Amino acid sequence: MSKQSSLRKYGKQSRKPKCDRLFAELPQTPIRPVPLIVKEDVSDDAAVAKVTEGLSIIKLEDENTPPPESRRLSTRRKKTSVAAQSPHIKPAGPQTPQLPSPPKSEEPETPKQPTPKQELLVLSWDEVCPPGDKIVKIAEASYAEVYRVTNERGTSIIKVIRMESPIKAQTKAQQKSGLVDEEPHSESDLMGELKISEWLADIPGFVVYKERYIVQGKACRELLETHQAFHKKVKRQDPDRLQFYPSPSRYLDGTRFLVVELGDAGTALEDFELVSADQLWDIFFHVAIALARAEVQVEFEHRDLHEGNLCIRQTGEPIPVEQRNRSGRFGFSGLEITILDYGLSRAHANPDIEDSKPVAYDLERDLSLFTSEHAPQCEVYRRMRSFLLRGDRVCLPPKSHKKAYEAGIDGPISWAQHEPYTNVLWLAYIYKWMVSNFKGSRKEVNAFKRLTKELWSYMDPGAAESVPSFESASDIVRFSLESGWIEEDQLVGARDEVEKSILSILTTDARGKELDGESFTESFLRRSPRRRQKQAM
């Protein structure tokens, strides 16, 4: 398919009022001084309680429902207990899915007085999964096992993190099989993820945290059975894969776990059958829009967005071609997505406040992440680190990632630094994964690849040096909107909030200067994915 000349005429020439925007200062996020990774003194239950105090127990609802009055920097909310509701299929409704606009920015919240120490509830495995309930292991995250628990009240996802506590030694058979025990963690290891989850709570597409508690004691029969079934399944898929988490058969009376309960987000992408091009368009754009909004609001980078950390739900009926009344590509499958697991993520809630610091997991703590070759996503980890070292798209081999805190182009590697290009790398990974694992007709997937050929050329981490590159998920959303795949009303909230969308900055650069088609191209597509230095006013 020949390239449309309209793609080179970026932006609309109509003048829009300049007011608060959804993607304010989106073009080419300027480099800020590299902050240090936040390090806090925390103490077990009190530390976790302090971070999660503001997390609401929220009933899962359709993301098309306007968000509550709470804001990203809102004061902590009183907990209420509601049962999680099972998702259900809705009849076909309006053909344009409305994505709720992120809330207005507010002044930083006033620090509250320290709260008294709160003890976490301690449960047994029999209480977590009593007779009649169903528990299924569905994934292994960065440092946690993930289970789905279903009962008559609804469905929840639990992340289970082994704490420093006794556990039965490996048997000779387990040692011979190459079992590598995941190291136990202190509750402080979860602090960063809980903070980031609080900052992302009002952005559609991110998981909702509901509750946290301690589980202690020997495993129930159901837990052992689902653990064994999970590893039989992954062994069939990847015979060389090692088991990293101890078998529940080794749990003792004193073995303790920190459990974080999440709302059920649906089926992991790796287990979801992709059978239509509409699904490809919707999953990709839902993820890109969520990441773009999070980039702008809290300088978010996921850094681990593989097929196991992205969940899919069918929340509406697909809309047949003959019933569509618009020409875009987004919003016809009835799917919604949820992004999980911020264990390796980076975010900064108040980057403009001088003394504020980002939350970022220090990936230099374990270089095996970059030297491992057990799964396709390992290359993306190496590409992220190579980018910090070189500032281009060259991927260094595993042997080049054996020295922690090695000097890069900005000094010693610091994962606190904001580089939204990492989100582009993971969007490229998701794109390739979906195309490679598509189960529908080859005609449909080939048409999708043909239509997105130019988009892929700017995302492709293996592209030639002469090919321009996107710098962020925000760039990808902008390109898709200008290509006509996403329509304007799909990026705005209510009518009175229309100017708080990406549309209000499509024709202006970071300094508010109006752009014509050619200068827009020069501004947003460059040969290097490195961010520009801040320009003087």
Side-chain angles (χ1 to χ4, degrees):
M1 179 178 178
S2 60
K3 298 178 183 177
Q4 300 179 12
S5 59
S6 61
L7 295 185
R8 291 301 179 192
K9 297 179 181 179
Y10 295 94
K12 298 186 180 299
Q13 301 305 312
S14 60
R15 301 298 189 268
K16 293 180 179 290
K18 292 181 173 60
C19 61
D20 293 339
R21 302 154 178 165
L22 170 60
F23 290 132
E25 302 296 335
L26 186 59
Q28 313 306 332
T29 307
I31 289 180
R32 298 185 177 87
V34 178
L36 297 176
I37 298 175
V38 62
K39 295 182 178 180
E40 299 187 34
D41 292 326
V42 295
S43 59
D44 297 338
D45 299 348
V48 177
K50 181 179 178 182
V51 175
T52 60
E53 181 185 4
L55 299 179
S56 294
I57 303 174
I58 302 174
K59 180 172 68 175
L60 291 177
E61 296 181 334
D62 187 351
E63 287 177 5
N64 294 337
T65 303
E69 289 299 318
S70 60
R71 300 293 186 258
R72 174 169 57 85
L73 297 178
S74 62
T75 55
R76 295 188 173 94
R77 294 162 287 179
K78 182 178 179 181
K79 287 190 175 183
T80 56
S81 179
V82 296
Q85 302 296 317
S86 300
H88 58 279
I89 304 298
K90 300 180 298 184
Q95 297 187 13
T96 300
Q98 295 293 326
L99 301 180
S101 290
K104 303 174 184 178
S105 59
E106 293 186 350
E107 294 297 322
E109 65 179 46
T110 304
K112 290 179 175 279
Q113 295 297 322
T115 56
K117 181 176 180 179
Q118 299 179 10
E119 294 292 338
L120 294 178
L121 181 66
V122 179
L123 302 175
S124 68
W125 283 109
D126 286 323
E127 290 174 313
V128 171
C129 187
D133 287 11
K134 181 180 180 181
I135 184 167
V136 178
K137 183 170 181 176
I138 59 175
E140 291 181 346
S142 301
Y143 48 78
E145 298 172 273
V146 184
Y147 296 87
R148 175 181 288 111
V149 180
T150 306
N151 54 38
E152 61 183 9
R153 298 178 300 280
T155 302
S156 286
I157 301 296
I158 58 172
K159 288 186 64 173
V160 179
I161 303 98
R162 184 162 70 93
M163 300 168 63
E164 296 173 345
S165 57
I167 193 168
K168 191 182 299 183
Q170 293 183 15
T171 64
K172 290 182 179 180
Q174 289 169 334
Q175 293 174 352
K176 186 177 180 180
S177 68
L179 175 64
V180 180
D181 284 352
E182 170 71 12
E183 291 296 319
H185 297 271
S186 65
E187 292 165 55
S188 61
D189 285 342
L190 194 60
M191 292 289 290
E193 184 172 0
L194 291 174
K195 282 188 177 181
I196 291 174
S197 71
E198 184 180 39
W199 297 340
L200 298 174
D202 292 328
I203 303 177
F206 291 93
V207 72
V208 173
Y209 279 69
K210 297 166 62 176
E211 188 58 270
R212 80 281 187 277
Y213 41 85
I214 300 295
V215 177
Q216 178 175 329
K218 295 181 179 180
C220 59
R221 177 177 55 83
E222 293 80 5
L223 187 72
L224 178 59
E225 289 176 349
T226 189
H227 178 91
Q228 293 171 338
F230 176 85
H231 283 284
K232 286 179 181 178
K233 171 188 169 184
V234 298
K235 273 292 186 181
R236 289 194 298 269
Q237 298 172 344
D238 182 4
D240 296 327
R241 179 187 174 111
L242 297 177
Q243 179 178 320
F244 292 100
Y245 290 91
S247 168
S249 63
R250 297 169 56 199
Y251 299 174
L252 301 172
D253 290 336
T255 307
R256 290 165 62 88
F257 297 86
L258 177 62
V259 174
V260 179
E261 186 174 346
L262 319 171
D264 186 17
T267 303
L269 177 60
E270 61 185 341
D271 298 319
F272 188 86
E273 188 173 28
L274 297 167
V275 295
S276 74
D278 289 338
Q279 293 174 335
L280 301 180
W281 288 106
D282 281 7
I283 292 171
F284 182 82
F285 285 142
H286 272 306
V287 176
I289 291 169
L291 290 176
R293 284 177 165 164
E295 282 176 355
V296 176
Q297 289 197 27
V298 293
E299 293 188 345
F300 177 72
E301 299 171 51
H302 191 282
R303 296 178 173 174
D304 195 21
L305 191 50
H306 54 75
E307 64 275 15
N309 284 336
L310 179 62
C311 283
I312 315 297
R313 280 196 304 158
Q314 187 80 44
T315 59
E317 295 289 349
I319 301 174
V321 175
E322 60 273 12
Q323 296 181 18
R324 300 176 188 180
N325 57 12
R326 51 191 174 86
S327 58
R329 297 284 178 178
F330 177 47
F332 297 117
S333 71
L335 298 182
E336 290 183 358
I337 63 96
T338 302
I339 296 171
L340 308 175
D341 191 10
Y342 318 134
L344 303 185
S345 298
R346 184 262 187 215
H348 196 175
N350 300 292
D352 296 325
I353 297 179
E354 184 176 355
D355 295 331
S356 70
K357 299 182 186 300
V359 170
Y361 182 82
D362 185 6
L363 276 68
E364 297 297 289
R365 289 169 53 179
D366 183 8
L367 294 182
S368 66
L369 185 69
F370 310 104
T371 58
S372 176
E373 299 181 82
H374 81 277
Q377 68 259 29
C378 294
E379 180 180 314
V380 189
Y381 303 136
R382 285 191 288 276
R383 286 192 178 278
M384 291 194 300
R385 194 170 188 272
S386 298
F387 181 72
L388 293 182
L389 290 170
R390 296 177 50 93
D392 57 21
R393 288 181 286 200
V394 173
C395 182
L396 298 174
K399 65 181 180 180
S400 299
H401 300 280
K402 295 185 177 181
K403 181 181 178 182
Y405 306 104
E406 190 173 359
I409 59 174
D410 295 321
I413 286 181
S414 170
W415 292 97
Q417 183 172 327
H418 180 40
E419 293 292 356
Y421 179 64
T422 64
N423 288 332
V424 177
L425 289 173
W426 285 108
L427 281 166
Y429 176 85
I430 292 295
Y431 176 100
K432 286 185 65 177
W433 192 94
M434 291 196 301
V435 167
S436 299
N437 290 272
F438 187 73
K439 303 300 182 183
S441 72
R442 300 312 301 173
K443 181 178 179 181
E444 278 199 74
V445 73
N446 288 337
F448 173 79
K449 291 166 65 177
R450 190 164 57 249
L451 287 169
T452 57
K453 182 177 180 180
E454 186 176 9
L455 171 76
W456 171 249
S457 71
Y458 301 143
M459 285 195 302
D460 183 5
E465 184 179 356
S466 60
V467 178
S469 173
F470 293 126
E471 297 182 19
S472 63
S474 305
D475 285 351
I476 292 174
V477 172
R478 182 184 296 105
F479 179 92
S480 301
L481 181 64
E482 290 299 305
S483 299
W485 300 328
I486 303 174
E487 296 188 2
E488 296 181 357
D489 59 352
Q490 294 176 295
L491 289 175
V492 299
R495 289 294 180 184
D496 60 344
E497 296 178 330
V498 67
E499 289 303 327
K500 300 182 180 67
S501 74
I502 189 174
L503 308 177
S504 59
I505 62 154
L506 281 176
T507 58
T508 56
D509 64 8
R511 298 173 300 282
K513 179 181 177 181
E514 294 293 328
L515 301 170
D516 57 28
E518 290 299 315
S519 59
F520 187 96
T521 303
E522 295 169 0
S523 290
F524 296 106
L525 290 175
R526 302 188 299 118
R527 293 186 178 182
S528 169
R530 292 286 297 174
R531 292 172 295 151
R532 287 178 177 77
Q533 297 288 337
K534 185 180 292 186
Q535 301 184 25
M537 296 294 289

